[in-house]
Amino acid sequence: MNDNELDGILDEWRTPPVPSSLADRVRAGFAARRRRGSFFTALRRWIAVHPRSLAACAVAAILTLLVAVPNAHPQAASAPPWTVDSEFLNYAEDGSSSVEMLMTSYMLNGNETILSRWAPSNPLKTALWSTADTIGPVHDRIISRLMFGEAKLEEIHKARAARASRTVGAVTGCGPLCLSVDHFYWERATPGTGTGCTAGEIVGRDTILGHATIAFQDRWTEHGRMTVWMAADLGCFALRSVYETQQADGTFRRAGEKRAVKITSRQ
Amino acid sequence: MNPIQATPEEAVFLRLFDEHHAALFRFAWRLTGSIADAEDIVQECFLGILRPSCAWDPARTPIRTYLFGIVRNQSLKRLRKPDPFQPQPPDLSSPESDLLRNELGAAVARAVAELPDRQREVLILAHYEQLPLAEIAQILTLDVGAVKSRLQRARAALKETLAASYPGLEKKR
C-alpha cells in the first residue's frame, strides 16, 4: 500500500453532520453569559432599592439623549467623496416585498459606514433607531469591559485595527426591530486574485448605477447564502446583496435584499 | 433579515463560531467517537473563551490553534474506545457502493482508534484537518520533529493494519 492509496482509504472515514442544535446551544450560552453580567440586571436591582430616584434619573437620561441623539451616527472627519443611498427589502414567502430600512452610507477604511438610516413612513421607528444607535456603542463598551477586561479589550482593538487593512466590510441588514445593524467582513483579495475585492469566486457581473460590479457568494445563516455585488471603483462598496434561504427541496427562496438606489458625489 | 445582530462582540463571536465549529466538531468526534460528546466539547470550548479566566493570548496563539488545543484536551478527558466506530447497520435499500463505503469507513475508524493516543491525534489533525505541522506542534505542545515522527509512525501502522486485516481493501474501492 503506497501513500496515495492510504490517503484514499483514510478519506472513506466520514464524519456525521454537525448537529443543528450546536449553534443554538452556543448562542443560548452566549446570551446567558451576557445577561448575567448585564447592565440591565444591575439597573433592576438598583431600582428595587431606590424607587424614588427613578424619576430623577429618567429626566436626566432624557436630557442626555436630547444632547446625544444628534451625534448618533459616526460622521466622517472630512466629508466623504461620495455616499450611497440604499434600501433594505424583506421578502415574504409569497414573493411580495416591503422596504424595511433606508440608509445613507459610505466607505471608510474598507468598511461600510452609516451616515443615517430611517424607516419609511415610520418616524417613531426612526427615532427608536437613532436612540439605539446612540446607546448601543456605549452599552457595548460597558459590556465589553465586563466580559473581556481592559488588557484583553486592548488586544481585541489592536487585532481589529490590523484586520481592517485586510478586510472589506458591508452592512448586510438588521434584525426584526432593526435596533442594531449587521456587518459582514470578508478577506480582501490579493491583487489579481478572487473577485478583485474579496477572495471569493466570481459568480456574476453587473453594472449598477453606472458602476461595474463583480458578484460573489458566501454562507448566510446555517441554511442560506448571500450574493454580494461589489464595485471596485467605489472602494469595494457592496451596491447590492441578495439573501436566500434554502428550502426543504434544496431550492433557494429570496428572503431579503440590499439595493443601492442613488450615488451622490460630494466633490 | 440577518441572524447576526446585537453587539459587535456577539457578531465577532458568532463569526468565530461559524468559521471554526465544523472542523472542531469533526476533530472532537474523531477523538471521542460520540456525537453528543463532540457537541458538548465544542460548545464548552466556545463558551470557555468568554470566561474571564480564559487563558487565550492573541499575541502568542492564533485562535484556531487555541480552540483545537482546548478540544483536544477535553476530548482526551472523555476519550472512549472503539465501540462507536462499529459499522453502521447496513441499509438494505442502499446501493452496493454505499455498503462498501460504510464498511471501509468503519474499518478505517477501527484502525485509527487502535493507534496510540499521541499518534492518533497527530494523524487526525494532519490528514483530516490538513493543519500544518507547525500548528499541530503548537496545539500538542511538541516540537515539529516529534510531530513528523508520530505522523510517520501512525501512517506506517495504518498501512500495516489495513493491509493485513483487509488485504483487498484498495481493490474494493
Side-chain angles (χ1 to χ4, degrees), chain A residues 87-210:
Chain A
E87 59 183 15
F88 289 79
L89 295 97
N90 274 340
Y91 288 89
E93 295 219 354
D94 63 4
S96 62
S97 65
S98 59
V99 178
E100 174 78 10
M101 178 170 72
L102 298 166
M103 187 177 84
T104 300
S105 58
Y106 66 105
M107 278 308 250
L108 178 65
N109 299 328
N111 186 28
E112 185 177 353
T113 304
I114 299 173
L115 280 173
S116 60
R117 62 180 180 124
W118 62 100
S121 315
N122 194 335
L124 184 64
K125 218 172 188 180
T126 302
L128 189 66
W129 291 352
S130 289
T131 308
D133 288 345
T134 306
I135 294 172
V138 176
H139 176 255
D140 291 345
R141 276 196 288 276
I142 294 168
I143 295 300
S144 299
R145 276 186 170 75
L146 288 174
M147 274 175 54
F148 296 112
E150 286 294 337
K152 191 155 280 183
L153 208 56
E154 182 66 22
E155 286 166 6
I156 290 171
H157 288 157
K158 279 182 187 165
R160 271 192 197 153
R163 191 187 64 177
S165 62
R166 304 192 312 267
T167 57
V168 181
V171 173
T172 54
C174 58
L177 282 175
C178 265
L179 287 178
S180 65
V181 172
D182 311 320
H183 283 79
F184 250 81
Y185 299 91
W186 295 272
E187 287 294 321
R188 195 178 274 279
T190 52
T193 64
T195 66
C197 282
T198 65
E201 190 183 328
I202 298 172
V203 298
R205 294 169 192 273
D206 199 358
T207 300
I208 300 173
L209 300 174

Side-chain angles (χ1 to χ4, degrees), chain A residues 1-3 5-19 21-23 25-27 29-30 33-34 88-90 140 144 147-148 152 155 160 172-176 180 182 184-185 218-221 256-257, chain B residues 1-10 12-15 17-18 21-22 25-26 29-30 35 39-40 42-43 46-47 50-51 54 56-58 85 101 104-105 108-109 112 123 127-128 155 158-159 162-163 169-170 173:
Chain A
M1 188 185 293
N2 63 35
D3 281 333
E5 285 170 341
L6 176 64
D7 287 340
I9 290 170
L10 290 177
D11 288 341
E12 295 296 339
W13 183 25
R14 311 269 162 78
T15 50
V18 180
S21 54
L22 176 58
R25 287 170 58 178
V26 170
R27 274 174 190 270
F30 184 93
R33 277 177 205 289
R34 208 169 58 164
F88 289 79
L89 295 97
N90 274 340
D140 291 345
S144 299
M147 274 175 54
F148 296 112
K152 191 155 280 183
E155 286 166 6
R160 271 192 197 153
T172 54
C174 58
S180 65
D182 311 320
F184 250 81
Y185 299 91
D218 197 354
R219 277 185 58 194
W220 179 68
T221 74
E257 184 172 356
Chain B
M1 210 147 86
N2 190 315
I4 298 177
Q5 50 182 303
T7 66
E9 275 65 36
E10 184 169 9
V12 169
F13 177 78
L14 293 176
R15 183 91 177 151
F17 174 79
D18 209 32
H21 79 277
F25 175 83
R26 286 196 303 267
W29 181 80
R30 284 197 158 104
I35 292 176
E39 194 177 358
D40 286 346
V42 175
Q43 180 193 3
F46 278 101
L47 295 182
L50 299 174
R51 293 194 186 106
C54 169
W56 175 48
D57 179 359
F85 298 127
R101 278 183 186 284
L104 277 174
V108 172
V112 173
L123 178 100
H127 179 81
Y128 291 104
R155 290 180 64 87
L158 285 172
K159 279 182 189 174
L162 290 168
L169 209 52
E170 306 99 309
R173 301 174 64 245

Side-chain angles (χ1 to χ4, degrees), chain B residues 1-169:
Chain B
M1 210 147 86
N2 190 315
I4 298 177
Q5 50 182 303
T7 66
E9 275 65 36
E10 184 169 9
V12 169
F13 177 78
L14 293 176
R15 183 91 177 151
L16 200 67
F17 174 79
D18 209 32
E19 277 174 16
H20 298 294
H21 79 277
L24 294 169
F25 175 83
R26 286 196 303 267
F27 180 46
W29 181 80
R30 284 197 158 104
L31 285 178
T32 62
S34 158
I35 292 176
D37 279 354
E39 194 177 358
D40 286 346
I41 288 166
V42 175
Q43 180 193 3
E44 265 315 292
C45 166
F46 278 101
L47 295 182
I49 60 178
L50 299 174
R51 293 194 186 106
S53 57
C54 169
W56 175 48
D57 179 359
R60 291 177 54 196
T61 317
I63 187 67
R64 182 174 76 167
T65 308
Y66 178 78
L67 293 172
F68 267 102
I70 297 289
V71 167
R72 179 243 184 184
N73 292 339
Q74 291 299 316
S75 298
L76 290 181
K77 281 184 190 168
R78 299 183 185 217
L79 198 57
R80 292 178 184 169
K81 283 288 178 181
D83 269 356
F85 298 127
Q86 289 299 322
Q88 298 293 315
D91 175 358
L92 296 177
S93 64
S94 299
E96 188 183 46
S97 61
D98 284 350
L99 290 176
L100 282 175
R101 278 183 186 284
N102 283 345
E103 184 189 329
L104 277 174
V108 172
R110 278 194 298 274
V112 173
E114 282 167 20
L115 292 170
D117 289 352
R118 288 164 184 239
Q119 289 179 26
R120 184 168 66 248
E121 58 196 12
V122 169
L123 178 100
I124 292 171
L125 291 170
H127 179 81
Y128 291 104
E129 297 311 326
Q130 299 282 303
L131 297 189
L133 294 181
E135 190 173 354
I136 297 173
Q138 210 177 351
I139 292 167
L140 305 178
T141 57
L142 294 170
D143 61 58
V144 177
V147 172
K148 267 188 200 168
S149 97
R150 284 180 190 184
L151 182 59
Q152 280 166 359
R153 284 206 298 273
R155 290 180 64 87
L158 285 172
K159 279 182 189 174
E160 205 175 310
T161 309
L162 290 168
S165 307
Y166 307 92
L169 209 52

